[in-house]
Amino acid sequence: MAGKFELKKSKNDKFYFSLLAGNGQTILSSEMYEAKASAVNGIESVKKNAGDAARYEKAVAKNGSPYFNLKAANGQVIGSSEMYSSESARDAGIESVMANAAGASVDDQTAA
């Protein structure tokens, strides 16, 4: 099963998206956007940049958990991962985003 983006609206009327792997696990989450069009542009930016290994920033949280950010060409973060238990799990997460993002469909859950 292919990956997909879920586009959602928060309780405070902001928009965000998540990229899910084929198994339904969230592998990348966006920031909150004021406008739906901005969130849609974010999805397109993830699709465009996900295949470029240089766009991934590997990081470690204060509690020692590895995670990553996906950045656009301008250096802006367009998505962040969950916290992982190990660097190898984080690297597998990056590989999953690289494999799933470009061809992922968009499930728009914002329509009332």
Side-chain angles (χ1 to χ4, degrees):
M1 184 176 169
K4 71 174 180 176
F5 288 94
E6 286 185 344
L7 178 59
K8 297 183 178 183
K9 192 172 185 179
S10 68
K11 290 182 177 134
N12 62 350
D13 289 335
K14 295 190 182 210
F15 297 89
Y16 65 100
F17 62 85
S18 300
L19 174 60
L20 279 60
N23 63 4
Q25 182 178 0
T26 299
I27 52 177
L28 191 75
S29 300
S30 76
E31 64 182 6
M32 293 289 182
Y33 294 93
E34 295 293 331
K36 181 177 178 178
S38 298
V40 171
N41 285 342
I43 290 170
E44 292 306 313
S45 186
V46 169
K47 287 183 175 188
K48 179 178 162 187
N49 290 287
D52 185 347
R55 298 275 189 253
Y56 292 88
E57 172 189 58
K58 296 179 181 181
V60 178
K62 289 179 183 171
N63 69 0
S65 297
Y67 70 100
F68 64 87
N69 292 314
L70 174 60
K71 294 186 170 187
N74 64 5
Q76 183 177 354
V77 174
I78 49 179
S80 298
S81 73
E82 64 182 4
M83 297 297 162
Y84 289 98
S85 58
S86 67
E87 290 184 6
S88 61
R90 176 198 57 208
D91 293 347
I94 290 172
E95 289 177 15
S96 185
V97 172
M98 292 179 84
N100 284 283
S105 61
V106 178
D107 178 7
D108 185 348
Q109 300 180 6
T110 64

